Amino acid sequence: NAGVTQTPKFQVLKTGQSMTLQCAQDMNHEYMSWYRQDPGMGLRLIHYSVGAGITDQGEVPNGYNVSRSTTEDFPLRLLSAAPSQTSVYFCASSFGGWAGGNEQFFGPGTRLTVL
Amino acid sequence: RKEVEQDPGPFNVPEGATVAFNCTYSNSASQSFFWYRQDCRKEPKLLMSVYSSGNEDGRFTAQLNRASQYISLLIRDSKLSDSATYLCVVSGGADGLTFGKGTHLIIQP
């Protein structure tokens, strides 16, 4: 199993550009999430999905969209990039929900710089 | 806002020593507790879950004190490979996971 994969690993954008960060998992997990990690801060939840066709907002959703058309894929779209979105983005998946104490499996991350 | 607080360190510890760090959480309704390990420029990986009765995995021992709302991690006989950032993670159920900022541990030869 490849686990959770993310592409690209690195990306530089100009302010106002849009792009999609890709995330895929091959573990048949229902739950998938996107986090951002900034220096001096804990991981913060952007959006999450509890199954194909179902998404919801996390703590910091503004400026991002998600969709979940299949169990495997959970892309994150930046609509109009801003310097404040410079961060490391992690996708994660789990077999069950947060309340059940389920292990989160993280992808290797995407390092995004917005100029 | 639910908070998870950790001492950021760094903790500089000689190889073979025992080191312990704590984290405190603000949400008394929290249900699940974890320690994740994150190596430099890598993704977090689960180190261990933390149970009410305390649990041990080799050189690592985790304990939970619900009354005082803190979680601890003890590492015995530390190895150079234990150098990493340790993230305290708390689940409040449907509200998702709250991550601490991490404690940076450096094991020195």
Side-chain angles (χ1 to χ4, degrees):
Chain A
N1 286 349
V4 181
T5 58
Q6 290 183 238
T7 56
K9 285 187 167 51
F10 302 93
Q11 183 70 50
V12 178
L13 293 177
K14 294 181 180 178
T15 297
Q17 287 184 314
S18 62
M19 77 160 295
T20 299
L21 308 186
Q22 302 292 345
C23 173
Q25 52 91 10
D26 61 359
M27 297 175 281
N28 203 31
H29 286 170
E30 289 295 327
Y31 284 72
M32 296 188 74
S33 308
W34 275 103
Y35 295 89
R36 61 178 288 172
Q37 186 174 37
D38 300 296
M41 301 190 71
L43 276 78
R44 292 182 292 168
L45 182 65
I46 304 170
H47 285 285
Y48 66 97
S49 169
V50 300
I54 307 169
T55 63
D56 207 344
Q57 296 181 351
E59 181 186 354
V60 288
N62 291 342
Y64 308 94
N65 274 355
V66 291
S67 59
R68 184 95 179 271
S69 56
T70 66
T71 298
E72 294 78 20
D73 300 297
F74 190 43
L76 177 72
R77 279 183 287 279
L78 278 70
L79 309 173
S80 176
S84 60
Q85 293 179 305
T86 294
S87 189
V88 180
Y89 292 85
F90 289 104
C91 179
S93 73
S94 62
F95 178 73
W98 297 303
N102 294 281
E103 178 180 358
Q104 298 290 306
F105 293 85
F106 287 87
T110 294
R111 282 178 165 69
L112 175 68
T113 301
V114 182
L115 303 175
Chain B
R1 184 173 181 274
K2 302 178 180 64
E3 300 285 343
V4 174
E5 300 290 340
Q6 295 183 252
D7 183 340
F11 284 55
N12 288 282
V13 174
E15 193 175 7
T18 296
V19 59
F21 23 85
N22 299 334
C23 91
T24 59
Y25 60 94
S26 63
N27 181 9
S28 60
S30 297
Q31 300 170 356
S32 303
F33 309 88
F34 313 89
W35 285 102
Y36 277 74
R37 172 193 168 126
Q38 186 172 25
D39 292 308
C40 186
R41 301 179 72 80
K42 298 287 189 180
E43 71 272 23
K45 292 183 179 178
L46 180 67
L47 177 66
M48 57 198 305
S49 300
V50 187
Y51 304 116
S52 296
S53 56
N55 48 301
E56 187 174 306
D57 183 2
R59 298 181 293 107
F60 298 84
T61 300
Q63 292 194 314
L64 168 64
N65 185 319
R66 283 190 183 270
S68 301
Q69 295 182 207
Y70 79 79
I71 306 151
S72 64
L73 178 67
L74 180 79
I75 306 175
R76 290 180 300 278
D77 187 23
S78 53
K79 313 290 185 191
L80 294 175
S81 58
D82 294 334
S83 298
T85 297
Y86 291 83
L87 307 178
C88 178
V89 184
V90 174
S91 168
D95 294 337
L97 299 175
T98 302
F99 287 78
K101 297 175 185 178
T103 295
H104 188 197
L105 175 64
I106 301 170
I107 306 300
Q108 297 174 327

